Amino acid sequence: MKPPAFAPDWAALRADFPILDQTVHGRPLVYLDNGATTQKPRAVIAALARFYERDNANVHRAIHELSFRATTAYEDARARAARFINAASPEEIVFTRGTTESINLVAYVFTPRLQPGDTILLTEMEHHSNLVPWQLLAQRTGAHLRFVPVTGDEGLLDLRRLDDLLSGKVKLFAFTHVSNTLGTINPVAELCARARAHGVISLVDAAQSAGHLPLDVQLLGCDFLAFSGHKMAGPTGIGVLYGRRALLDSLEPFQGGGEMIASVQFEESTWNKVPHKFEAGTPDIAGAVGLHAAMDYLEGVGRAAIGRHDEELARAACDRLRGIPGLRLLGPTEARGAVVSFALAGIHAHDVVTFADQEGVALRGGHHCTQPLLRKLGVPATTRASFYLYNTPAEVDRLAEVISQAAKFFGARD
Ligand SMILES: Cc1ncc(COP(=O)(O)O)c(C=O)c1O
């Protein structure tokens, strides 16, 4: 069947990623570890090189041409990020090191807002980055954590008791958009609306969705949203915290240092406006420039198209893997993101991943920073294949072939 005229030319796009054109252990590389980090297109690599070759200087502080260019590039990246997620203004975009730092920032600045006996609501499918910062906040303040349960292997949130869970002294509800272990796409707009109805602040962990699905923070109705550049074709070391302007204005700073102050006395200081109030010290300027290029690139392809491409590959992978004796597939059959996790009975995921690596297939095995979730599901570790726009149906076939060989080699119990 001929693809519709508006479909991206996926093969041409793949050629934008030079790293993919290589062999590993004598086999063509099949990179299926995109949930951990994605590869970078030439446009991003070139933007980083161009910045360091021509424009590098520190931002905001000096009045010379290069500093002006670096500051303009950095602030342009902020405006780009605001458009990328439809924030009301660039002031709602705080640059951070990534999702982890964005969440830690919120958890830290929320300290004065919590009292002993307050509650922070999470779900059972959170990455450690969206769990441990809240544990620390709970320890600091005497607040409790509560969790929306996960149904079982199909990996959905059990929302039947959500209104109960949101009742009482709940101050914040933090949850992932797409689960990095199960692939579940959560109904973010509904979760934010239900939180709001109870007067609860919402935080969305968009680490696995920002580069894969269209995101509109105003439509989603979230108060905070966090993502990482490196999981969406951008560089490592740069990420975003989106926060509603009024909320950011009302919070105290995270770290102290240069950039975040308005005036400093020996004994005390006053704070810069948002977002600078939350950006102490020299930021990752080149990272922001690279992230800008990544956002341009992804929007050129279209995130709705990327989401459909991911879904097709993930569905094909599930269909192929399901037939392998002894293989237990985790995660939903519908509304699945670019992630497919499974366990082979009696075989440790690390052995499967090592076997696949010898065949040139890059997978990830382990707890995927979701230890409590895997404990609940009764699996010590899973093997995870995660896809991105440059992956192909032929690579899904190769995955299925290699996993089938691994199951035979190690003797998976049926
Ligand atoms: C769902 C989710 N949240 C948070 C993170 C943490 O992202 P980072 O390490 O880029 O801060 C990850 C990384 O795998 C993730 O998958």
Side-chain angles (χ1 to χ4, degrees), residues 279-298:
E279 292 181 3
T282 301
D284 183 356
I285 310 159
V289 169
L291 178 60
H292 188 161
M295 292 186 284
D296 284 349
Y297 183 86
L298 294 179

Side-chain angles (χ1 to χ4, degrees), residues 4 54 69 122 126 262 310 318 325:
R54 295 186 23 209
R69 280 193 228 152
L122 307 172
E126 297 313 314
D310 289 344
C318 289

Side-chain angles (χ1 to χ4, degrees), residues 34-37 96-104 125-130 175-181 205-209 226-231 236-239 339 364 368-370 384:
N34 296 289
T37 199
T96 62
R97 283 196 298 125
T99 309
T100 303
E101 190 174 69
S102 297
I103 297 172
N104 274 279
M125 64 168 78
E126 297 313 314
H127 188 280
H128 296 166
S129 292
N130 198 24
F175 51 88
T176 194
H177 189 175
V178 175
S179 160
N180 66 305
T181 298
D205 173 350
Q208 296 293 341
S209 62
F227 61 91
S228 303
H230 72 99
K231 292 186 194 285
T236 49
I238 186 82
V339 173
R364 188 151 290 251
H368 316 295
C369 292
T370 54
R384 181 183 77 181

Side-chain angles (χ1 to χ4, degrees), residues 14 19-24 27-31 360-362 395:
R14 183 178 169 92
I19 201 171
L20 298 175
D21 185 19
Q22 63 173 298
T23 54
V24 166
R27 307 290 177 127
L29 169 65
V30 176
Y31 185 78
V361 180
E395 290 181 319

Side-chain angles (χ1 to χ4, degrees), residues 147-210:
F147 298 88
V148 178
V150 167
T151 51
D153 277 14
E154 76 275 28
L156 299 172
L157 290 179
D158 180 351
L159 299 178
R160 286 172 303 179
R161 288 191 51 243
L162 182 63
D163 288 309
D164 286 348
L165 287 167
L166 282 166
S167 305
K169 292 161 81 179
V170 183
K171 290 288 161 9
L172 192 136
F173 180 22
F175 51 88
T176 194
H177 189 175
V178 175
S179 160
N180 66 305
T181 298
L182 302 164
T184 317
I185 302 178
N186 287 319
V188 179
E190 179 195 341
L191 299 182
C192 292
R194 287 173 73 175
R196 202 166 47 249
H198 288 268
V200 173
I201 302 279
S202 56
L203 180 147
V204 178
D205 173 350
Q208 296 293 341
S209 62

